[in-house]
């Protein structure tokens, strides 16, 4: 993981941070990583800002969970109210989960009919895979070659971006991701569909029938954020072979791309959709949505119950998030501020030969760093850490870790743009190109 | 699932409940089940009571998630406060998750050294299985024959209580559960260990090496709640064969049995422990705990990150739960009120030939219904629904669905005992034994 702290990097931490880190390593241990060569210790958040113990503000241009802003007062009020009223499970009748499901499904314009609520994007992906495999009575799953879909056993199996020690079993086939920024979308779409077709043949050669193709509609960890419609033909291919198309909207969903859902740009009707991260602004909630026929086939045979899934408190948070996105026009904000940010990034790229591409959609933007066609991961790391010292939060991503990932809360406004652009310009200037080293992949 | 609503049961619902149910079935669909022949519609909860829309109170003698009481004001205040301060992930340094991990680990008296926080018991079980398989480089898991451990793909695979359509793959071996109420614990312990030994041989005959034995320390869904120490020898067997012992404390943990953890009654030191349900009183949080050596081996190789795991808001809820358990003496309460409740149940059993056994630990108690040695599931269903109409909530469980499950929030006091005992006596009288029919299994 490129953007991570290592004790061996020689950075001197403030005494209180060093002490906290010692305690943390003792009780949380090896599975936990920290961002940055010099980790940041946050004690407070508000809107697009996080604050350290000394009261310094950090502009958050990275976190996609607090979509309606850190410490959002509407979310806080609704959750707090609900905690004083009722919090129980879905084996009793309660109103909130039904009303919210209706409201959520409405945002899909007829593409989905039913929802199952769970606690995390990983649980949602895991359940979508269970459903697809049960409904088709098949095992094979096709995913992209640097995908990230989650951390349960089944979700990690289709997440090659987790690194070489994360085993990809024989019932999974990987395909190179399409370029969502391709200048010739028709050709790109045809070629991606052909790769999916080949993957199905590969699975069958191993005696495995295809149950589903799962695609993150914005290719977050494949480093290929973009906007052109290239996924429709692949969806047709998997359907023609009897499998389902699963749209992973955990990252692009809830207005980030300027559309409600990332798959809308592509001509396809998903069989299942998974959503998560921003859904409750950080209060754990996620969901699987789909056509009633798929839910009937699974739910009729298999008993599924998620103790915390659809609990009234998480539902209150999710309902408040929809209110805030609507009331504050945050989907439009993602489109308009995203366009301005993209223009600013393009200006930087015009001045800097080491920036090979600016791409993305809405407020999910990427700058790729290359020198003479060679990915420059070390420069990406240097830029990310330089910006951290200037108190602006972004990260790096992509198969070669050379893609700067800019993905702020959706309350990020035009007024925040100059600080981000200035910090980025300074960081690029302080870490010039010309010494490309690619690293190992990063996810989040 | 025995204790569930079916449209075909002919029960007439109140107009507003019928309307809500119609809407619910449209958007939530087939995977969702409701408790009771006449589902209950709750709008409010407080302490050990839930309230319907007409203001009627229901005594909750079933729900183990709201362990410190419905709408607990301390949990509410702490969560509400934290929502206004900071809610972010563990790739930044934050104080709360470290302090809580220290406090939690302290409750294990040296049995565990580190924690990983996740969102649900299912995620915790799934991660414990990933860890065990990675650390041992083996695939085989041994579980009890009517176990319930969760609903992710990997957790469902070791949860045969989910029913016949829930496939148990070839790398899983099932063993008949031990009787935790056995009158001769030494023999029971030896026989259970022998069954585990046989299961290991079975796995090896299929070419699968054993990675772990996972046991719910109170056998919740095997219907065999009890107190005698019978698990130690089996833990030694799995270790001798190079596998890990995983203690599933999602149901018995956090003081329910009168001990902090269910495994304490047994002479064993678990390699991994999973906890969940009551941990945040309904705010989603769960964890895997274990020895640092296991965490080092997994975390050193595999990148694990859980977006919502250990978020400051869920941690605030969990910390408030520990405060409440301590400040109100709820672990002792489970022991003392549990003993009184058990005595009351034993009195009922003395009057009723159809009650074949009273067992359990603390405030997790069970009444088994049999007629001449034949499980009587229909009587269990009748009792559960009769009590629902008397506004007292319990459920039924066990492989033959003939075990009444009584498992109230830990704030259940002596003052609530008479209403529970009276309702149970009346329900048993109204549904006499003599017509045994066993059904299909239930879980939660």
């Amino acid at each position: 993981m490129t953007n991570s702290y290592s004790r061996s990097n020689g950075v001197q931490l403030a005494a209180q941070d060093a002490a906290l880190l010692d305690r943390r390593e003792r009780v949380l241990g090896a599975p936990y990583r920290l961002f940055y060569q010099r980790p940041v210790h946050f004690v407070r958040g508000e809107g697009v800002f996080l604050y350290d113990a000394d009261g310094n503000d950090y502009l958050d241009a990275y976190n996609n969970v607090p979509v309606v802003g850190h410490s959002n007062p509407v979310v806080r009020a609704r959750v707090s109210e609900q905690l004083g009223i009722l919090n129980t499970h879905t084996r009793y009748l309660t109103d909130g989960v039904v009303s919210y499901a209706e409201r959520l499904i409405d945002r899909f314009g007829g593409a989905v009919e039913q929802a199952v609520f769970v606690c995390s994007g990983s649980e949602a992906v895991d359940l979508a895979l269970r459903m697809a495999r049960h409904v088709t009575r098949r095992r094979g799953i096709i995913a992209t070659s640097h995908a990230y879909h989650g951390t349960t056993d089944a979700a990690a199996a289709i997440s090659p971006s987790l690194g070489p020690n994360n085993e990809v079993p024989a019932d999974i086939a990987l395909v190179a991701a399409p370029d969502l920024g391709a200048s010739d979308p028709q050709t790109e779409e045809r070629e991606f569909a052909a790769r999916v077709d080949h993957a199905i043949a590969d699975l069958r050669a191993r005696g495995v029938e295809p149950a589903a193709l799962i695609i993150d509609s914005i290719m977050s960890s494949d480093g290929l954020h973009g906007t052109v419609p290239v996924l429709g033909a692949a969806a047709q291919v998997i359907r023609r072979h009897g499998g389902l198309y699963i749209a992973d909207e955990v990252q692009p969903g809830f207005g980030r791309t300027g559309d409600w859902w990332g798959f809308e740009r592509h001509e396809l009707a998903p069989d299942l959709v998974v959503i998560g991260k921003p859904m409750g602004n950080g209060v754990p909630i996620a969901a699987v949505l789909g056509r009633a026929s798929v839910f009937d086939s699974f739910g009729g045979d298999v008993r599924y119950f998620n103790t915390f899934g659809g609990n009234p408190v998480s539902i209150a948070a999710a309902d408040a998030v929809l209110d805030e996105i609507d009331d504050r026009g945050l989907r439009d904000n993602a489109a308009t501020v995203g366009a301005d940010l993209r223009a600013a990034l393009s200006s930087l790229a015009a001045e800097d030969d080491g920036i090979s591409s600016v791409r993305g959609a809405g407020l999910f933007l990427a700058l790729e760093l290359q020198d003479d066609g060679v990915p420059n991961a070390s420069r990406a790391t240097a830029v990310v850490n330089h910006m951290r010292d200037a108190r602006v939060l972004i990260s790096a991503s992509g198969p070669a870790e050379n893609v700067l990932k800019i993905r702020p809360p959706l309350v990020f406004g035009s007024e925040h743009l100059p600080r981000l652009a200035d910090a980025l310009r300074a960081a690029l200037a302080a870490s010039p190109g010309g010494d490309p080293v690619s690293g190992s992949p990063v996810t989040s």
Side-chain angles (χ1 to χ4, degrees), chain A residues 94-163:
Chain A
T94 55
D95 297 273
V97 66
V98 175
S99 303
Y100 177 74
E102 291 170 340
R103 189 178 182 195
L104 178 65
I105 287 165
D106 248 12
R107 307 278 156 142
F108 283 87
V112 302
E113 296 163 313
Q114 296 189 328
V116 176
F117 296 103
V118 297
C119 301
S120 70
S122 291
E123 278 196 349
V125 165
D126 195 287
L127 176 58
L129 297 179
R130 277 189 79 192
M131 285 182 160
R133 283 170 163 158
H134 183 85
V135 167
T136 62
R137 268 70 175 171
R138 297 167 165 196
R139 293 291 310 166
I141 307 289
I142 300 159
T144 54
S145 52
H146 202 68
Y148 174 77
H149 293 291
T151 57
T152 65
D153 192 60
I158 55 168
S159 298
S161 71
L162 287 173

Side-chain angles (χ1 to χ4, degrees), chain A residues 178-192 227-231 233 266:
Chain A
D179 179 359
L180 298 189
S183 55
D184 177 0
Q186 278 90 350
T187 302
E188 191 67 19
E189 179 165 11
R190 202 168 51 241
E191 289 180 0
F192 181 59
T227 56
V228 300
V230 297
L231 299 174
H266 305 269

